[in-house]
C-alpha cells in the first residue's frame, strides 16, 4: 500500500463508488515514479471483498468497475479498442484473461449503427502463452494491433501478489502500461507497441516466499482452493464492466444475456440480479 510521500508528484484519492471502496494513486512525475518504484500513471484498486463469496453484490461491483473503466477509457472515445486476455486457460489461477474474452460476444455489436458505442470498433483475442507457442506475447499483440488498426489496448490478466490481504479481494486497474509475467523471468516493454496500454487484473495467486522464508520454493506460487469461484465472479464483473463501458445504452439484463451466450450459467445470478432490472445509465500488484 502506498503512503502519500508529500508534494513530489504523487496524488492519492479515496472514494466510494456504488458502495465499493476505491483507492487511486496517480504518479504524475518522474520524481514520483522513482520514489515509489513505479511507472508514471494512475493505479486504481477496487476493494471487492472476497471474490469467492456467494454474498458478493455483483451488480454493484460491475457498475463500480464500469465507472472506473469509463473514466480511464473515455479519452480514447471514437477509436478502435483491442482487448487482450493474457494467461493460461488450463490453469485456474491464470485463466482470468481468457475467461473474460470468452464472455465478450463482440460480433453481436459489429455494424449495429443504432447502438451507441464509446469506440468506433472493439475486438478481442487470447494470445496464449510463450510456453505453448514459443513466441513472445508482445510480438503477437503488436501484430494483431497493426492488423486491427487499434488505437488503444486493454490487457486483462491474473496477478500474483505478495500481500495476503489482496489475494482474491480486489480488482486493479492501471494506466501505466501492462504487467510483467511472473514466470517469464523478464520484463515486457509494452511501450514498444506504440499505443496506450491500460491493464486490469485480479490477484489470484500469492508468492510462496510470503509464507516460507527458506528460499526452497523461490519462484513458486500458491492459490486458494476456491480460486475457480473467484475467477468466475471476477470474470463476470470485468466482462459486465467492459460491456457497460463500451456500450453505455446496454441495460443490466442486456449485459447478463450477452455474457451468457458462451456459457451455461453465471455465478449466483438469482441472489444478485432482478431479471427486470434495466440498470442505470492502492496500487496494483505488478506481476502476473
Amino acid at each position: 500500500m502506498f503512503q502519500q510521500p508529500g508534494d513530489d508528484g504523487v496524488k492519492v484519492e479515496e472514494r466510494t463508488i456504488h458502495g465499493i471502496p476505491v483507492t487511486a494513486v496517480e504518479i504524475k512525475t518522474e520524481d514520483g515514479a522513482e520514489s515509489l518504484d513505479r511507472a508514471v500513471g494512475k493505479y486504481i484498486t477496487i476493494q471487492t471483498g472476497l471474490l469467492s463469496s456467494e454474498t458478493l453484490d455483483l451488480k454493484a461491483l460491475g457498475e463500480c468497475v464500469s465507472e472506473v473503466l469509463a473514466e480511464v477509457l473515455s479519452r480514447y472515445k471514437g477509436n478502435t479498442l483491442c482487448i487482450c486476455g493474457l494467461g493460461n486457460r488450463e490453469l485456474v489461477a491464470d485463466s482470468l484473461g481468457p475467461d473474460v474474452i470468452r464472455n465478450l460476444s463482440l460480433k453481436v455489436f459489429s455494424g449495429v449503427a443504432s447502438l451507441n458505442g464509446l469506440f468506433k470498433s472493439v475486438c478481442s483475442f487470447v494470445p496464449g502463452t510463450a510456453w505453448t507457442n514459443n513466441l513472445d506475447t508482445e510480438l503477437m499483440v503488436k501484430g494483431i494491433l497493426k492488423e486491427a488498426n487499434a488505437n488503444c489496448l486493454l490487457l486483462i490478466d491474473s496477478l500474483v501478489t505478495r500481500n495476503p490481504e489482496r489475494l482474491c479481494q480486489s480488482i486493479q486497474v492501471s494506466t501505466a502500461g501492462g504487467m510483467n509475467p511472473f514466470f517469464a523471468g523478464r520484463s515486457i516493454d509494452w511501450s514498444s507497441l506504440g499505443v496506450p496500454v491500460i491493464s486490469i487484473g485480479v490477484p489470484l495467486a500469492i508468492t510462496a516466499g510470503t509464507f516460507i522464508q527458506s528460499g526452497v520454493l523461490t519462484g513458486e506460487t500458491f492459490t486458494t482452493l476456491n480460486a475457480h469461484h473467484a475467477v468466475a465472479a471476477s470474470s463476470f464483473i470485468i466482462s459486465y464492466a467492459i460491456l457497460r463501458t463500451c456500450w453505455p445504452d446496454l441495460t443490466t439484463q442486456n449485459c447478463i444475456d450477452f455474457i451468457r451466450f458462451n456459457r451455461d450459467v453465471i455465478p449466483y445470478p438469482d441472489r444478485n440480479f432482478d431479471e427486470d432490472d434495466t440498470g442505470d445509465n492502492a496500487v496494483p500488484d505488478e506481476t502476473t
Side-chain angles (χ1 to χ4, degrees):
M1 180 74 179
F2 280 101
Q3 302 295 324
Q4 184 152 5
D7 187 17
D8 65 348
V10 178
K11 177 183 177 182
V12 180
E13 178 186 10
E14 295 184 353
R15 54 181 171 153
T16 300
I17 304 176
H18 291 279
I20 311 299
V22 177
T23 301
V25 177
E26 185 174 7
I27 302 176
K28 297 184 175 182
T29 66
E30 292 299 334
D31 287 342
E34 183 177 353
S35 68
L36 296 176
D37 193 26
R38 293 289 190 274
V40 171
K42 181 175 283 189
Y43 301 83
I44 304 167
T45 300
I46 300 161
Q47 301 293 346
T48 61
L50 191 60
L51 285 162
S52 58
S53 171
E54 294 189 6
T55 63
L56 280 179
D57 188 339
L58 294 180
K59 179 182 177 181
L61 286 166
E63 293 294 334
C64 174
V65 178
S66 69
E67 285 198 21
V68 170
L69 279 183
E71 291 176 6
V72 170
L73 293 175
S74 60
R75 68 186 66 182
Y76 310 112
K77 180 179 181 179
N79 290 316
T80 295
L81 172 68
C82 187
I83 305 171
C84 176
L86 299 174
N88 186 343
R89 67 174 77 247
E90 303 301 326
L91 300 177
V92 173
D94 195 32
S95 65
L96 176 65
D99 207 58
V100 169
I101 300 304
R102 180 187 174 198
N103 287 341
L104 302 177
S105 303
L106 297 181
K107 187 64 176 177
V108 174
F109 308 103
S110 179
V112 182
S114 60
L115 188 60
N116 180 36
L118 182 65
F119 298 98
K120 179 173 66 176
S121 64
V122 182
C123 60
S124 68
F125 72 103
V126 177
T129 66
W131 287 103
T132 300
N133 53 44
N134 197 28
L135 291 170
D136 288 341
T137 299
E138 65 269 31
L139 294 179
M140 299 184 65
V141 175
K142 191 171 186 177
I144 292 177
L145 288 175
K146 180 180 179 181
E147 291 301 316
N149 292 316
N151 310 96
C152 52
L153 175 67
L154 177 63
L155 292 175
I156 303 166
D157 203 357
S158 305
L159 304 176
V160 175
T161 183
R162 294 175 177 83
N163 184 348
E165 294 182 358
R166 291 188 177 180
L167 182 62
C168 300
Q169 297 189 68
S170 67
I171 294 174
Q172 304 176 2
V173 180
S174 172
T175 66
M179 313 86 158
N180 289 317
F182 182 79
F183 294 107
R186 65 185 183 91
S187 296
I188 293 180
D189 181 14
W190 293 106
S191 65
S192 67
L193 300 179
V195 301
V197 179
I198 298 93
S199 60
I200 181 167
V202 176
L204 292 167
I206 191 166
T207 56
T210 302
F211 307 103
I212 302 172
Q213 304 300 321
S214 66
V216 175
L217 295 177
T218 300
E220 298 294 328
T221 62
F222 299 140
T223 190
T224 170
L225 290 174
N226 293 319
H228 58 295
H229 290 307
V231 170
S234 55
S235 171
F236 176 83
I237 292 165
I238 294 170
S239 303
Y240 176 91
I242 289 173
L243 293 177
R244 288 279 277 161
T245 299
C246 294
W247 294 277
D249 290 343
L250 292 178
T251 67
T252 294
Q253 192 58 48
N254 289 154
C255 295
I256 296 171
D257 291 339
F258 287 130
I259 291 171
R260 281 173 168 163
F261 273 6
N262 290 326
R263 59 176 70 240
D264 296 327
V265 297
I266 61 171
Y268 329 123
D270 297 331
R271 186 168 307 190
N272 297 282
F273 290 96
D274 180 349
E275 292 294 320
D276 297 324
D277 186 9
T278 57
D280 304 310
N281 252 27
V283 178
D285 299 283
E286 59 182 0
T287 54
T288 67

